[in-house]
Structure formats: structure tokens, C-alpha cells
Amino acid sequence: MVNRAERLTDTRRLQLGRMAVCCVALGLLPACAYLRGNGTGESATSGSAYMPVTFDGVPNSLEDGARDAVSIRAGAPTSLLDVRRRANQAADTLQEYLASEGYFAAVVTPDLVEDMDMTPRLDVDPGERFTIASVTLAGTGDLPEEVLTRLELVSDELGIGTWAVTEDIESLDKRLVTTLRKAGYAFAESEGIDALASRADSTLELTYSLSPGPRVRLGDLIVPVDLKTRPGAIRTLRNWQPGDFYKPDTMETLRTRLRSTDLFDGIGVKIAENPGTDGYHSVELQLSEGKRRSISAGLSVSTSEGAGATASWERRNLTGVGDTLGVDAQIATLTSELTLSYERPNIGRYGRDFSAETGIRAEETDAYDLQGVSATASLSQPFNDHFTLSAGATIDATRSTDYELRSAGQDEYVEQVTFSFPLGATYDTVKQPLDPQAGNRIALGVEPGVSVGDSEAPFTRITTSASTYRKITDRLVAAVRAEAGTFLGDDDVPVDRKFYAGGGGSVRGFEYQSLSPTDTDGNIIGGDAMFAASAELRFRHSDRWGYVAFVDSGYAAGSIDEAISEMRMSAGFGIRFYPGFGPIRFDIATPLDRQEGEDPVQIYVSIGQAF
């Protein structure tokens, strides 16, 4: 067996390839390419995983890694030659592994095997573990002082005197390039790592050769000419001013904005290598437009709210400005509705969105019966990546009756027209709406209005909600939500403007709207306030399946204080199936303080997490 450690002189300087690392410079096989069983050429063959050798002399802290390194997946050796071959390959692999951990002078020697029944042994002399003696940057002489300072801070992370571990050395190379790119050097590259090894001192002197290239100032956004989408609608997505320095995050945000339009199947972003006459580098888009129409359908089932079916049709990019026309229909036990909607994004600037919809609906609940026709329009404007304000106007003509009126002997329907002006503010850092993993959501809504017709009632309806999501482990997420609402003004408003609690949307385990005020005959009537809270632990068992444990609480009453004091609680368990577009949820819940007449369990099946 060749003693590779003898190739080391007292000091030796070799150029390292960008992906090679110091173990190549020291005459060893590339430790950066080390994979379990990579020396055998048999890791992909059939058979059980086993260690073809034993070893002695490996440092205690590296024994587990060494076992992983030499283990292979293969059948039993077929000859004495095969046994020896595997032993030699295991010796090579173990030596590579030790080098990747800083033992560049390690010597691994397999004992001579004379019998197929013998398990070869590797004798290991690890030698001294090498440390980092110095870190020097080359190719950075023309950089501004503030960029040099950033690079020095990053290079200091590979501390002098720390072990010369291949992964750490390579990682610094990547971080240095990333730092340059974040400073505006879009074409920055590494030209490799130069290592000067001293066997006498067991140290490495590292020189990182960098090629920063030009510092890029961004210019115009170049849009393909063969698109159905108007160029102006795409240029609105630009998130820099001409002359701004390039940043990777700027380009990633541009890609995110393009994806969020749902207009493109393929998205490419390319920075011009040569600047224009103004010294700025243009940004060229490479876009492939997707289908403009889609149809979807859904089902929901619960023991408290019955069954429901939804269907929708959508036409995107209706006039070439990214606008969308949609039709949504719902038929359910409690509610049926048909809605026509229109959305126009990015009016004048990115994020300023206009939406309008009109629809008809019919509701039949234990608390009231209602038919209505409504139209609404709103404008929303984000002020940063997470905070958005909105304002709108709504007209809603309703014909309704509730059990409070019936108990008073008034069986006729009340006809009203309600004019309201909803105002909203949201703060949202959640990136996966259907299956949140981390972040926060806070929403506040204030809706002043007036109802006219059979009765006249000015009012203000205030709602607020907050939810937070925390990833405890890779598979476990904790989610908490609280929501509240209060009503100010005259009670003679349409019944659906009041507050109700109970059911899949608020407190699972109870009948729909059952946690609401009742009249003297026990009939459900709406409350002037509502409070509800939920907590969930969501465990992702596999790519397809997950489990949820939850506790819900809430109540609707005449005031927030009364709602909190009268709160009812439930607990339950759920299963989540992940088909690829968001979870399908199956929940079963039971009241914790079940009272006479209440069902022991309620079951819910729907799409998406509960909140």
C-alpha cells in the first residue's frame, strides 16, 4: 500500500481547484468527494450494508463517521482477491475521510488477508491533526474599504488555530463569494484555494483567490416582445431604481413577484455582462406564459355544518395587465352563493391592487334565514413586504328573518339595504398560506356603515385576529390563533352582521353557531361581541401524512368580557393528507364540558389547515 503521507514535504504549496480543497493539495484523494462507500464502487449494488473491515487507531470522536465511510452495500465477497480488493478500497476511503477531518498525514494500512473467513483489519496511524495557521484573501486589492471589511469579518469565522476540516474550508470559500455578490459583484467567482501545508507544525496556510469582477449597478428591465402580457404590467414588478447596486435578494424578489402573478410557467433572469452607455447593467427576462384559464372544484363535510361543494372558473390576464376574472359557486347545507369577481393588480405601482365582486347568496341557519345581493369594491396597498392597508365600499341588499323576531310574533321578512365602508390593516409574514410553517398574521378590520329600509341602523363592526406559527422541529409545528369582534351601534342591522360562535370555523366540537346568545325560548340570536382562541400541534409524519392535536375555545355574547367569561372549550385530533397542493384535513373534536343535548363528537373534512 502506498504511504500517501510521505508525499508531504516540510512545507508545500499547491493550487486547489474551486471544489477540490486542501486534501488534494496534500497529495490525497479528494476528501470533498467522500461519500459512504465511495471507494468500493459497489455502493449501488444489491445486498445488505456491512463493514468489510475492522479498524484500529481512529480517534474516538471520528469512529462513527469512519464506520459510515467504510460501510458498503454489497453481497458477500466471491474470492480471496475480492476480500483483499475491498480491504484496499476501504483503506483508501478511510484515509480520505480522515483527511477531510484534518488528519492529512494519516496512514491507513490493511493487514494481509490469507483466508476468506477473516475480516480484514485496517491499522490507522492518524498522525497530528492539522490546524489553520492563517487565512489570506487574494484578488481583492481594488475593492472598496467597506467591502474589504465585510470580507474580513467573514474570513475571521474560520478561526486561527481551529481544525483544518475540509467542509469548513470549502464553506468559507462559498461564503466569501456570496459576500461579494451581496455587495454588488454579480459575477464574483472563486478561483480556488491555495494551501501551504507544514508537516513540521501540522498547520495549513490558506489563500482564497477571488475574482470579484465589476461592481454591478442595475439598469432597465428588458421584457420579451412576444408576450400577451403588456410590457408595462411586467415592468411594474421591478424592485430597484436605476443605479442601485446588484443584490441576490433583489433578483430573488423579482422572481417571486413574477411567480406570484400566476401568468408564467418559465421564469429566467439574466444580468447583462457588459454595461450600457450609462454604466448600468440591464436585467433581461426570459418568460414563458402559462395557460390563461383554469377550473377547480372542492368538497367539504362536517357533522355540524353539513356538506358542501364549490366550483370556480378563472380567466387570467384578461386584458393583458395581469387582471383576473373569476366565477365562484357554492352549494352547501347552510349557504349557497354565486359570485363574479374581478382583480386588477399593481395599479400604478407594485402591490396596489383593485378588486371588485358581486354576488347573490342564501343562508339557512339555526339563527336566521337570509337572501342577499351584494356588490363591493376595494383598493389595497402594501407599505412593505408584510404590512398592507385596504379600503373599500359595499352595498348589500338583504331579506332576512331571525328567531328573535319570530318569538316576538313577527314572521315577516325584514328588507334592508346596508351601505358600509370596510377598512383593513394586515401584517403577514407567513409564506405558505395553506400550510403555514412559520411566521405571524395580524389583521384588524373596522367597518362603519348604515342599514336602511324596514329599519334604520347606523353601526360600526370591529374585528381583529392574530395567529403565530413556530417550527419546533423539522416535523413539528406549533400554531396559536386568537380572534375577537365587537359591534357598536343600533341592533336593527341585518342578522349576518352580528357575531356567532361554534363550528368548524371557530370552535370545533360544537354545533354551528351553538355558542351564541339565545332568547328565552332557547333560539339562537346574534351577539354584539365574540372571542375565540385555538392552539394546535402539527406533526408531519411523512411527505403524504400528518397528525394534529388541538384545543379550541370561544363564545359569542353581549360584550367581549362576557364572551371570555362564558367561553366553552373543546379538544380533538386530526389527520392531514398532503396531495401536493395543500393538506386535506380530517378533524374530530369533542366538548370538554359537554352539556345536555350536545353531541359527543363533531367531524370535519375540508382543504387547508384550520387556520
Side-chain angles (χ1 to χ4, degrees), residues 11-35:
T11 59
R12 185 176 178 185
R13 183 188 302 274
L14 289 175
Q15 178 67 33
L16 304 179
R18 188 182 314 159
M19 299 302 295
V21 200
C22 50
C23 45
V24 176
L26 298 167
L28 301 175
L29 294 176
C32 61
Y34 150 69
L35 294 171

Side-chain angles (χ1 to χ4, degrees), residues 450-504:
V450 61
S451 293
V452 298
D454 290 345
S455 61
E456 183 172 329
F459 67 91
T460 299
R461 196 172 190 267
I462 303 172
T463 58
T464 183
S465 66
S467 56
T468 184
Y469 308 89
R470 291 292 179 268
K471 203 161 191 175
I472 300 173
T473 69
D474 288 342
R475 293 179 176 271
L476 186 64
V477 174
V480 178
R481 176 187 66 177
E483 54 184 342
T486 188
F487 184 91
L488 307 175
D490 200 308
D491 281 343
D492 293 331
V493 295
V495 289
D496 62 339
R497 299 282 171 169
K498 294 192 174 182
F499 292 99
Y500 305 86

